[in-house]
Amino acid sequence: MTEVAVIAYGAGNVASVQFALERLGATVRLTDDPAVIAEAERVILPGVGAAGYAMSRLSELGLVEPIRAFPRPLLGVCLGQQLLFETSQEGEGVDLLGFIPGAVSRLEPAGALPVPHMGWSRLTRDRDDPLLEGVADGAYAYFVHGYVCPDGPATLARSDYGGPVPAMVRSANRWGCQFHPERSAEAGAMILRNFLQVAA
Amino acid sequence: MTARRIIPCLDVKDGRVVKGVKFVGHTDMGDAAELAARYRDAGADELVFYDITASPEGRTLDYGWIKDIARLLDIPFCVAGGIRSVDQAARCLDHGADKVSINSPALERPELIAEMAARLGSQCVVVGVDSRLEDGEWVVHKYTGDPDARRRAGKRTLDWLDEAQGLGAGEIVLNCIDQDGVRKGYDIEQLSAARARLTIPLIASGGAGAPEHFKAVFEQSDVSGALAASVFHTGAIAIPDLKAYLAGEGLEMRL
């Protein structure tokens, strides 16, 4: 049975991620212990809210370096995807984990669409990836965010919300989902299942 | 773009859904989680669970049932009713809710919106607004869950929407109480006025009676979602049929 550590650092809805993984038969550990994270088979970094608060919590808990050094599959969800990048323009500017170049910026969609981007949007695949196996191109996923990652070579799938929204990104064996796979019905479950099955 | 959201609202008392939900067939509609799963399977885009007695009674809630719902659902859900502190809201999220909706407590102490947004993020802070037309103006009412406690909140609706958004609300549910339960359609004029004032998502509530009402509110008021209760619970409108109809009318729906 696959074991996955979900980082519980007070900046995310870890219960819904935990339940989604358990529905798929995974053994889930919610943890803020650097030693447990370092030894996990795979790690999920959830997150909602402010990037500055999330980074300061990770720092206080001594988790920044263990996450940076983690060699096996890691999936950042929502704010967790944004944390994979270098910096965020939120507030005065925040240094993030720095796996992927570029700055996270405020979402400013064309056409005066409401912000935050909240609701079900289609995923358009940019290239094939094990995490997207079995996910129909154009499948809907549930998004909630007011900041957006930079679009670049790391983008695996996009959504459109008054401009391109990097919906899934990847750098080596670190992936990100801007949407909430745990709340994205069948497509989300498929992506989580693929993450549990990708070689550790 | 986002698909228009269809959002059933379930009234909960002590973890049980109350009021007539036809597809179960009893007054006590059963376990909230069980009904949630039925709506999930019918294609609901999101669910709202409203603790109907909490706010007027001013009591603290036992939100243990949230966990049961979170275990089953793979779509987002919001909980409402009696949340009057950041800690209570945080506990809802810890149990697996995606959003919390506050209404009367936000009117009593608007800073609650800002406190929740700062700690939990705007994306999970929904402000519910009960509004009706009085002397030619839309005004806010509070404690609407209890006919005896219900009264004017002393604010004009559009002013309150501005204020709530400015304090950090991530979404507004505007419940037009003149329409509530009448099933003659959403209040297009009021919702359009609200949409024009807001930059955050707006959800329509109150008045749904026929599929055409959903079409009208999406097309004319450009709301992000439409909330309804009785038409879904009684089986008058089946969600798969409604979504297929709206998609056929050219609206983006998640089918």
Side-chain angles (χ1 to χ4, degrees):
Chain A
M1 194 173 282
T2 310
E3 195 170 279
V4 52
V6 177
I7 303 180
Y9 61 115
N13 183 346
V14 292
S16 56
V17 175
Q18 175 194 351
F19 297 149
L21 294 165
E22 287 175 353
R23 286 195 293 271
L24 297 169
T27 303
V28 181
R29 289 190 72 168
L30 302 183
T31 182
D32 61 4
D33 182 341
V36 171
I37 290 165
E39 286 176 9
E41 187 182 321
R42 53 201 82 217
V43 162
I44 290 188
L45 176 62
V48 295
Y53 177 74
M55 285 307 294
S56 69
R57 285 295 299 156
L58 291 176
S59 172
E60 282 160 23
L61 291 164
L63 295 175
V64 172
E65 281 319 309
I67 292 170
R68 282 196 176 127
F70 187 72
R72 288 175 293 280
L74 180 143
L75 175 65
V77 170
C78 195
L79 178 65
Q81 165 170 300
Q82 300 184 359
L83 298 183
L84 302 180
F85 287 79
E86 274 175 330
T87 56
S88 170
Q89 292 170 356
E90 201 176 303
E92 315 255 289
V94 182
D95 284 334
L96 307 175
L97 294 168
F99 295 126
I100 305 173
V104 174
S105 58
R106 188 176 282 280
L107 178 63
E108 288 170 343
L113 294 172
V115 175
H117 170 207
M118 179 157 359
W120 296 83
S121 292
R122 288 184 182 280
L123 300 179
T124 306
R125 186 177 309 206
D126 192 66
R127 56 192 158 97
D128 287 336
D129 188 85
L131 258 62
L132 282 163
E133 199 111 329
V135 177
D137 200 33
Y140 277 99
Y142 183 75
F143 289 79
V144 186
H145 62 116
Y147 281 77
V148 63
C149 294
D151 198 7
T155 303
L156 289 179
R158 285 184 192 83
S159 179
D160 176 66
Y161 193 71
V165 171
M168 285 183 74
V169 300
R170 177 179 183 180
S171 167
N173 58 352
R174 291 159 188 128
W175 284 264
C177 292
Q178 179 62 66
F179 54 91
H180 285 272
E182 75 279 13
R183 286 285 180 257
S184 292
E186 296 84 2
M190 184 61 82
I191 288 163
L192 289 177
R193 180 174 318 193
N194 289 339
F195 175 72
L196 293 173
Q197 287 172 357
V198 78
Chain B
M1 301 306 296
T2 50
R4 308 284 173 167
R5 281 178 270 158
I6 299 295
I7 309 171
C9 178
L10 297 156
D11 288 351
V12 179
K13 193 178 182 181
D14 305 323
R16 311 284 295 176
V17 171
V18 292
K19 275 196 193 169
V21 180
K22 198 185 178 187
F23 49 59
V24 177
H26 302 288
T27 316
D28 180 305
M29 299 295 102
D31 192 64
E34 221 168 278
L35 285 175
R38 287 180 185 239
Y39 277 120
R40 170 201 64 197
D41 294 343
D45 296 300
E46 184 170 332
L47 294 171
V48 175
F49 296 89
Y50 178 54
D51 189 309
I52 50 168
T53 51
S55 200
E57 289 175 10
R59 64 179 164 86
T60 310
L61 294 176
D62 167 21
Y63 278 126
W65 50 272
I66 295 174
K67 206 168 215 170
D68 298 332
I69 292 165
R71 262 184 225 285
L72 280 176
L73 283 191
D74 58 3
I75 59 170
F77 71 100
C78 178
V79 295
I83 298 160
R84 44 186 68 245
S85 74
V86 177
D87 281 342
Q88 284 175 323
R91 215 171 318 139
C92 295
L93 301 181
D94 288 345
H95 283 79
D98 299 283
K99 308 177 191 179
V100 290
S101 181
I102 52 173
N103 188 328
S104 303
L107 288 161
E108 284 160 17
R109 209 172 63 79
E111 312 78 62
L112 179 60
I113 299 170
E115 291 165 14
M116 284 173 56
R119 167 132 162 238
L120 309 168
S122 285
Q123 78 291 329
C124 63
V125 182
V126 178
V127 175
V129 178
D130 292 323
S131 174
R132 68 181 308 183
L133 191 65
E134 284 179 10
D135 303 325
E137 261 187 342
W138 293 304
V139 297
V140 182
H141 278 241
K142 59 181 177 180
Y143 305 125
T144 51
D146 177 352
D148 299 329
R150 172 171 148 180
R151 58 176 177 272
R152 280 185 217 174
K155 287 180 191 285
R156 287 190 294 196
T157 301
L158 296 179
D159 294 344
W160 176 229
L161 296 182
D162 281 342
E163 190 180 347
Q165 174 171 281
L167 287 165
E171 182 162 85
I172 299 284
V173 174
L174 182 57
N175 184 35
C176 305
I177 55 183
D178 292 317
Q179 269 68 25
D180 206 14
V182 182
R183 299 208 196 172
K184 296 215 166 132
Y186 291 97
D187 187 336
I188 300 292
E189 191 188 347
Q190 186 171 184
L191 288 156
S192 298
R195 180 64 277 164
R197 287 289 275 266
L198 293 168
T199 60
I200 57 178
L202 173 66
I203 305 299
S205 170
E212 294 74 22
H213 298 154
F214 290 85
K215 174 180 187 304
V217 77
F218 288 137
E219 286 183 348
Q220 296 174 45
S221 299
D222 195 27
V223 294
S224 300
L227 186 146
S230 60
V231 285
F232 297 138
H233 301 336
T234 59
I237 295 180
I239 291 173
D241 297 346
L242 173 64
K243 291 180 80 172
Y245 158 75
L246 293 170
E249 294 295 313
L251 289 156
E252 184 179 351
M253 306 302 295
R254 181 182 69 102
L255 296 177

